[in-house]
Amino acid sequence: MTDCIFCKIIKGEIPSSKVYEDDIVYAFLDISQTTPGHTLVVPKKHVDDIFAYSDELAANVLARLPKIARALDAAFPEMEGLNILNNNREMAYQTVFHSHWHLIPRYSQEDGFKLTFATHTGEMSAEELKQMSTNIAKHIE
Ligand code: 5GP
Ligand code: ZN
């Protein structure tokens, strides 16, 4: 896509700090460096978001994540954990509309990365949960 910043990075038209590249993905350091080593893994094929992946593209892209995760683990001995995050659409904090996977090394609870999950355990009945799961399931192709 001509106007896409990540397509331009993949083509080398915009400089980036490359971590890994093959025929399927390009991985590079996120400019924001939420924590040291914050890496983006992007499919070379332009897809806007998770909703646009074929099964094959998803399998190929996700297959690349573990070896990049292991490289981060080896490169940063003080790394204690790793969050992998994929934001989809503006409501979910996507700002670049070429799908990408954030690999964010974690060093401590105060390292600059925060994620909050509200907990509503027990607020829905078993019947309501069943209806919800059935509704989702019928849309899976
Ligand atoms: P999103 O919010 O869409 O999940 O994440 C987009 C990410 O792309 C942000 O973390 C942002 O720092 C990163 N980013 C945006 N523009 C550039 C750029 O030109 N170079 C690099 N390396 N990262 C970028
Ligand atoms: Zn693109």
Side-chain angles (χ1 to χ4, degrees):
M1 206 183 244
T2 48
D3 223 20
C4 168
I5 191 160
F6 286 177
C7 282
K8 287 181 180 163
I9 284 175
I10 292 162
K11 283 190 239 155
E13 293 169 10
I14 293 176
S16 66
S17 304
K18 182 169 90 174
V19 165
Y20 175 79
E21 178 178 18
D22 62 20
D23 53 331
I24 301 293
V25 300
Y26 187 86
F28 57 105
L29 295 180
D30 190 298
I31 204 163
S32 70
Q33 287 299 286
T34 294
T35 66
H38 179 181
T39 296
L40 298 176
V41 181
V42 309
K44 283 192 167 171
K45 175 184 163 60
H46 179 102
V47 283
D48 286 359
D49 54 33
I50 194 77
F51 307 106
Y53 280 69
S54 65
D55 290 357
E56 185 189 10
L57 183 65
N60 283 332
V61 171
L62 296 190
R64 270 64 180 181
L65 298 185
K67 63 182 164 191
I68 300 171
R70 285 191 291 269
L72 290 168
D73 203 20
F76 298 96
E78 65 281 31
M79 183 178 128
E80 300 260 347
L82 181 74
N83 285 105
I84 297 182
L85 196 64
N86 167 240
N87 298 329
N88 296 282
R89 298 181 181 159
E90 211 172 334
M91 174 57 64
Y93 308 126
Q94 186 175 6
T95 59
V96 176
F97 296 91
H98 179 137
S99 176
H100 48 278
W101 299 78
H102 294 261
L103 273 60
I104 305 177
R106 300 303 309 282
Y107 301 94
S108 77
Q109 294 299 318
E110 290 78 39
D111 60 9
F113 180 81
K114 282 268 176 283
L115 197 60
T116 306
F117 289 94
T119 304
H120 298 289
T121 311
E123 290 180 17
M124 292 185 85
S125 68
E127 182 52 33
E128 286 170 317
L129 291 172
K130 180 74 198 152
Q131 278 175 13
M132 199 188 288
S133 65
T134 303
N135 184 37
I136 297 165
K138 79 178 182 211
H139 288 97
I140 294 180
E141 293 169 356

